[in-house]
Structures are given as structure tokens and as C-alpha cells.
Amino acid sequence: MKSSKLGNVIALVMMTAAMSSCEKIVPSESGDLEGGEGYDVVLHVSQIETTRFGAPTRSELGDVCNHLCFDIYDEDGQKVKYINQKLDDENFGDASFSLPEGDYYLVVLAHSSAKNPSFATKEMKITTSGTLSDMFWTCEPLHISGDNVNKSLTLKRIVSMVRFVTDDKLPEEANELLVKYTGSKGTFSALTGYGTTKASQSIILDVDQSDEYYDFYMVPRYDRDTIRNVNVISRYNDGSSADNFSEKTIESIPVRRNCITICRGSLFDGKSSPNGSSSVSIAIDASWNESIEVYF
């Protein structure tokens, strides 16, 4: 990705950046894929664009995530540095390192999953593993030339949530829901924050009789996306085998970045809904963004 291409990207992503000063700190975990001294770069995550789904007010950084990943790519898309932080690390949200003169991309990801995503070293792609959490991201151009850099960062939510609110009861013996669908899940472009896959996905949700709803996160491929052939199976899993109790198929569910899609209906009666997405209403939730309601 040469300088001419970088210039085009800068015009798109600079709107998300703000500048301010902060103290230099020692990162909790870092890696240099390419050595070399240079100019100091000091970063501070000052704002999350919105708090957890459903929350009416903004929160502190530690209220919405417990992991932070700072990754630096050169203009050709090669990862050259990284810093990973955990919530209990000193100065969580601040990071510093040195870079030689040049043009770079700074990618920052905030999440609460058990494991950090995998940041590809030779292309700007991020892949999550396991259960996806609420997730926030930014990608900004970073120009190093003749001076140190201080940056204050604003991260934006890149996930959608799908929530099932049922009018029937979960089978008493069931301890998990297996959700299968075709679409995006947790592999996305570090440059744009949008999903890059459209494939068969499987998600397992631990459930019990006290749950009022069931939900999962995914990274949409566009602002407005759709997952298809959504198959929801209630079952008992003892770790070695699984017994199915009910199965529900919904033809399609619309999803949007920074939105909850609320799916209402009977989930455990075993009857499929081939036209489950034909009746869609959109309710405006002014606390953060639109909420999509699907009746099946």
C-alpha cells in the first residue's frame, strides 16, 4: 500500500482523530517486529463512542472493555509494533513507543473477550476466536517526521448484537443454544472495521431457565447487513455429546453496526419461520442508535 493510496485513506479516517497531550508510560506487553529507534509516540484512549448496548449514558473505559490492543502497521500493511493491555495494568488506556520517520497506520481495539484477536502481520486483517464481546475500534494514519507525537483517541463500536426475546419457555433440560447462520462473524478489516467473511458460522450460548433473553455479537460487513438461514437449536450438552430439544429456522435477520436486532416470537416450539424477516419494525433508541425489531 504505497503513499498515494495512503493519502486517500487519510482523508477518510482523520475525522475520527483528536489531538491532546498525555504522560508517557511503560506498556504492559509489547512487541517489536522491526527494530529501530526514532520519535516518541504517546497515545491515550480518551473516549468510547458509546457505552454497552442499552446503557443510557457514557461510562469510563474500564466499564466497557477489559482488553486494549494497539497495533502499528507500515504503509505497506506490514505490522511493525504492538502493545496489549489488560484492565488491571497500570495506566490502562495509555501507551507509548518509538518509531522511525515514515507513514503508518495505528489500529486500536477494545474488547472484553477471553482472548485477544489475532492481528495478521502481513496484511491489515483481524480475526477473533471464541465468543465475541462488545468491541470498539479505530484506525488512524500516523505520520512521523521530525517531532514526537501525542494522540488522544476516540474508539467506535463496530459490532451488531442479535437478541432473541421469546414468548415461550426454554426446555428445562437445555443448557445451551447452538446458533448457526450464514454471514459475517468476527474476522474484519483493520482498516475499515467491517467484516470480511460471508460463511457458515456457529455460536454456542450458555443458557438456563432464569434467562430473559439470549444474545450474541457479530461484526457486520456493511453498516446495514443481513445474516441468513439462522438456525437456533436448544440442547443439553454434557461435554462429550449433545441432545437436541428444539430447532427453529429464521430465513434472514437484518443487522446494523452499533445496533441491536431484537427478534421476538416463539423460539422453542420447533416450527420454522420461512417468512420470519418479512415483518420488520425499527424503533428509535435515542440513547445510542436505532434498534431493529424482527417478529418471527
Side-chain angles (χ1 to χ4, degrees):
M1 196 177 299
K2 300 302 180 182
S3 297
S4 60
K5 295 182 180 179
L6 178 64
N8 293 333
V9 177
I10 290 175
L12 295 176
V13 300
M14 279 301 289
M15 291 186 296
T16 62
M19 303 296 292
S20 69
S21 299
C22 61
E23 296 180 358
K24 186 174 181 178
I25 55 91
V26 178
S28 59
E29 178 188 347
S30 62
D32 289 339
L33 301 184
E34 292 183 4
E37 297 299 324
Y39 296 94
D40 291 336
V41 178
V42 182
L43 307 173
H44 174 64
V45 178
S46 61
Q47 183 174 300
I48 297 291
E49 184 182 70
T50 184
T51 57
R52 287 191 186 279
F53 283 118
T57 59
R58 295 183 185 274
S59 299
E60 298 295 326
L61 177 63
D63 293 332
V64 297
C65 69
N66 53 36
H67 288 84
L68 276 171
C69 303
F70 300 81
D71 284 67
I72 307 297
Y73 291 84
D74 64 20
E75 62 178 334
D76 294 317
Q78 177 81 29
K79 187 167 74 169
V80 295
K81 284 183 182 288
Y82 70 88
I83 297 172
N84 294 329
Q85 294 181 344
K86 298 178 182 178
L87 179 60
D88 56 0
D89 290 340
E90 186 178 1
N91 296 313
F92 180 69
D94 296 340
S96 65
F97 45 84
S98 294
L99 285 172
E101 288 191 0
D103 290 311
Y104 303 90
Y105 294 103
L106 166 65
V107 179
V108 183
L109 194 69
H111 68 95
S112 297
S113 299
K115 296 181 179 180
N116 281 326
S118 171
F119 289 71
T121 59
K122 295 183 179 180
E123 60 178 323
M124 297 184 65
K125 184 176 75 172
I126 301 173
T127 302
T128 62
S129 61
T131 302
L132 200 63
S133 73
D134 202 355
M135 193 156 52
F136 305 85
W137 155 97
T138 190
C139 177
E140 301 182 11
L142 191 62
H143 179 69
I144 308 297
S145 178
D147 203 356
N148 297 330
V149 174
N150 291 277
K151 259 189 180 294
S152 181
L153 305 170
T154 297
L155 276 58
K156 64 189 298 184
R157 176 180 278 129
I158 61 169
V159 295
S160 171
M161 178 196 283
V162 176
R163 172 170 290 174
F164 297 103
V165 181
T166 68
D167 55 21
D168 53 1
K169 292 292 186 180
L170 175 76
E172 291 186 3
E173 301 89 345
N175 64 0
E176 70 179 25
L177 291 184
L178 171 62
V179 182
K180 299 178 180 180
Y181 67 87
T182 301
S184 175
K185 183 182 176 183
T187 298
F188 57 97
S189 165
L191 191 63
T192 67
Y194 287 110
T196 57
T197 59
K198 187 178 180 180
S200 297
Q201 313 288 355
S202 293
I203 297 171
I204 294 177
L205 307 176
D206 294 327
V207 299
D208 60 43
Q209 289 288 310
S210 65
D211 293 331
E212 297 179 357
Y213 50 81
Y214 316 96
D215 52 44
F216 64 89
Y217 297 97
M218 52 83 65
V219 182
R221 299 173 68 235
Y222 317 98
D223 269 338
R224 296 169 180 253
D225 198 0
T226 301
I227 59 176
R228 302 188 182 279
N229 303 317
V230 184
N231 191 223
V232 184
I233 300 170
S234 67
R235 65 186 192 178
Y236 173 76
N237 192 337
D238 63 6
S240 59
S241 61
D243 295 322
N244 296 349
F245 300 119
S246 67
E247 184 171 345
K248 183 83 168 188
T249 300
I250 305 171
E251 187 178 72
S252 63
I253 296 177
V255 292
R256 297 182 188 175
R257 174 184 275 191
N258 195 32
C259 287
I260 305 173
T261 300
I262 303 173
C263 304
R264 300 182 184 274
S266 298
L267 195 61
F268 307 115
D269 60 6
K271 298 177 181 178
S272 296
S273 299
N275 298 314
S277 62
S278 61
S279 177
V280 179
S281 64
I282 300 175
I284 304 299
D285 184 345
S287 65
W288 48 275
N289 211 326
E290 297 175 56
S291 178
I292 309 169
E293 295 198 8
V294 178
Y295 296 89
F296 55 88

